[in-house]
Amino acid sequence: MSFSVADFRLWMADTAPYATLAAIACLPFSKFWMNQFLITAVVFSFFGGLFGQYWQYIKQRYSTHVALAFFAWIWISVIYSAAPNFLEALQGVGKYGKILYILALLPIFLQPFIRQWAELLLIASIFISTLFNLAYAYDIWHIRMHLEDYFIFNTFLINPIYITVQTTFVAFLCFTRFFTHEKYKYLFLALFILFSFYLLFINPQRTAYLLYLSLTLLVIFQNTYCNWKKILFSSLFLCLFLFSVYHLSPQIHHNVHETITEVLNYQEDITQGQYNSTNYRLSFLLHSWDIFIQHPWLGTGAGSFSYVYAQTNGPSLYENKLLDHPHNEYMMVMLQFGLVGLSLFLVWIITHWRWASELSPPNKFRLQALIIIFVLNGLANVSLFSGSTGSFYLLFLALYSATWLEKKL
């Protein structure tokens, strides 16, 4: 029995959705395997014909034009990059090349059952991850599951910051499913409570509080729009909720006071060479800003951050290791690609919000929550450039946006 090129392309097209599901299942556990499955899905979608089959619709989106323009600008920046060699500059291009994944991922999620399984797999994976972290927090399992020092499948567990982003979104996802899924609504409510408990009472990442509060405000806005009685009631409930959680959660109480202390003592601490999470980030930003104001329009080029930052004598997380990024997505883009690149990057994100406005609930609400998480996380971390957060964002951006493409067919 012969196996033709056409048969192979058909096999790739059929396999791409399952490679995508495998990538989603790996999100909280293995960055290495998540990347392998994600790249496989993108390649199979492209060469299997899915991308070409729906390109005429995908290219109609304004966000597609902006993504291509941003990626083209990144390539142009290679010409004047301050990176020590072309290979380093090329690696910088590759870090942002994933913005084009969305073009190949969109057709993969056209099938409703793939979208359904993608959400369920993410919920199940985060549930298992949360159980691991709770077991460690309560001294049931002594392996430090929340740090990148435990090997699984020949690679590391995901960084706790990435877990925080994914868990916050899944908590919101379970909350919306409580109202839209009649059969298992109380199961999703129980999962929402579990994830909320972990984020607010166990998780040491301060980013979780900002993201959780932002999604709480989003839920209030989505359900009380232009209804002043509901707005007043929801505002009072939110104040009571925040007051209660602050006093009931030793973790939040400690982290809030620690953050305030670190900010107030910033100048004194860095003078004495004492660094912590807060003043590290502030120092990274200030030293990066000094570089940016010297090259405000064009930046210093793709892949150049580590090398130009090293010239500022700013602090680094590890000795004898160049700092990879300033722990701020927008500063990372500004420094390398200037105001031109930052403008394209911000417009790219804005087009996603416009995309969400064209969808129907609950996909509209879920995509809005995803965008808010991505935007806010970029203030204290790098969402797209490094780690699994960028891949997580693009996967679920494609998932919810595919409902738009489905209507076009």
Side-chain angles (χ1 to χ4, degrees):
M1 181 177 178
S2 61
F3 193 69
S4 65
V5 173
D7 292 333
F8 184 61
R9 291 189 65 191
L10 181 62
W11 175 82
M12 286 194 292
D14 292 339
T15 306
Y18 300 100
T20 307
L21 293 178
I24 291 172
C26 290
L27 271 169
F29 303 114
S30 173
K31 183 169 67 175
F32 173 81
W33 285 107
M34 182 275 299
N35 282 327
Q36 306 312 305
F37 286 122
L38 179 58
I39 293 172
T40 299
V42 170
V43 171
F44 279 17
S45 174
F46 186 83
F47 289 102
L50 288 177
F51 170 75
Q53 185 178 354
Y54 301 104
W55 170 242
Q56 59 178 322
Y57 301 104
I58 297 172
K59 69 180 181 181
Q60 296 175 9
R61 298 302 305 181
Y62 183 59
S63 60
T64 300
H65 304 156
V66 177
L68 291 172
F70 181 46
F71 189 60
W73 180 252
I74 293 171
W75 268 107
I76 292 172
S77 74
V78 172
I79 300 172
Y80 57 85
S81 175
N85 53 63
F86 178 74
L87 183 60
E88 294 289 341
L90 198 61
Q91 289 178 349
V93 174
K95 290 287 187 177
Y96 285 97
K98 66 176 66 173
I99 64 171
L100 300 184
Y101 285 5
I102 182 70
L103 306 181
L105 289 173
L106 265 172
I108 292 176
F109 287 108
L110 274 175
Q111 303 175 65
F113 86 94
I114 296 294
R115 298 198 294 268
Q116 181 78 0
W117 271 104
E119 287 190 338
L120 292 176
L121 276 173
L122 181 67
I123 294 172
S125 299
I126 293 297
F127 174 71
I128 295 171
S129 169
T130 301
L131 292 183
F132 283 159
N133 283 290
L134 288 173
Y136 172 73
Y138 287 106
D139 206 27
I140 298 172
W141 197 353
H142 298 283
I143 296 174
R144 302 187 70 183
M145 298 297 294
H146 66 296
L147 295 179
E148 288 188 336
D149 59 1
Y150 175 71
F151 282 91
I152 182 169
F153 303 129
N154 297 319
T155 187
F156 296 121
L157 279 173
I158 295 297
N159 183 290
I161 295 174
Y162 310 149
I163 290 290
T164 295
V165 172
Q166 296 165 23
T167 306
T168 307
F169 177 74
V170 169
F172 177 87
L173 182 58
C174 290
F175 184 74
T176 58
R177 276 178 167 262
F178 168 68
F179 293 101
T180 59
H181 203 292
E182 190 64 34
K183 187 175 182 180
Y184 298 107
K185 61 185 302 182
Y186 293 109
L187 171 61
F188 289 115
L189 178 61
L191 288 172
F192 166 71
I193 294 172
L194 174 67
F195 297 139
S196 298
F197 174 77
Y198 167 69
L199 290 167
L200 299 176
F201 289 85
I202 304 298
N203 186 5
Q205 299 299 318
R206 287 171 283 190
T207 307
Y209 312 144
L210 174 63
L211 300 182
Y212 195 92
L213 175 61
S214 300
L215 292 197
T216 302
L217 292 172
L218 177 66
V219 170
I220 291 174
F221 175 78
Q222 290 170 341
N223 292 278
T224 64
Y225 184 68
C226 292
N227 188 320
W228 292 107
K229 290 183 179 180
K230 288 185 177 180
I231 291 174
L232 180 60
F233 176 78
S234 299
S235 300
L236 292 173
F237 173 79
L238 178 60
C239 292
L240 179 63
F241 172 75
L242 293 176
F243 179 82
S244 301
V245 169
Y246 177 76
H247 287 281
L248 291 174
S249 173
Q251 186 74 54
I252 290 182
H253 195 274
H254 168 75
N255 284 344
V256 169
H257 280 269
E258 184 181 53
T259 302
I260 294 173
T261 302
E262 289 173 355
V263 172
L264 293 177
N265 297 335
Y266 167 72
Q267 196 62 49
E268 180 182 345
D269 287 343
I270 62 171
T271 301
Q272 299 175 3
Q274 298 177 3
Y275 286 97
N276 49 58
S277 176
T278 302
N279 58 33
Y280 259 132
R281 282 176 164 80
L282 290 173
S283 296
F284 295 157
L285 281 175
L286 290 174
H287 284 81
S288 299
W289 177 260
D290 290 338
I291 302 168
F292 165 72
I293 59 177
Q294 298 174 35
H295 312 274
W297 295 107
L298 304 183
T300 56
S304 64
F305 173 80
S306 295
Y307 305 98
V308 294
Y309 177 85
Q311 299 171 14
T312 69
N313 295 318
S316 185
L317 292 172
Y318 309 102
E319 292 185 11
N320 302 319
K321 185 179 185 299
L322 294 174
L323 186 67
D324 293 332
H325 52 78
H327 289 67
N328 184 292
E329 186 76 75
Y330 310 103
M331 179 57 74
M332 186 69 172
V333 174
M334 283 170 56
L335 191 149
Q336 292 189 109
F337 312 119
L339 290 174
V340 175
L342 179 65
S343 299
L344 290 170
F345 180 65
L346 293 178
V347 171
W348 180 65
I349 295 174
I350 291 170
T351 60
H352 299 161
W353 189 268
R354 290 179 57 190
W355 207 333
S357 66
E358 298 176 15
L359 304 179
S360 302
N363 290 326
K364 173 182 179 178
F365 296 158
R366 292 168 183 173
L367 182 51
Q368 287 176 342
L370 182 71
I371 296 169
I372 287 175
I373 287 177
F374 178 75
V375 169
L376 292 180
N377 184 65
L379 295 173
N381 304 288
V382 281
S383 297
L384 187 63
F385 173 79
S386 180
S388 65
T389 305
S391 300
F392 162 69
Y393 177 69
L394 292 171
L395 278 163
F396 284 85
L397 173 64
L399 185 151
Y400 296 118
S401 301
T403 58
W404 164 86
L405 182 58
E406 188 178 38
K407 294 178 181 178
K408 289 286 184 178
L409 301 180

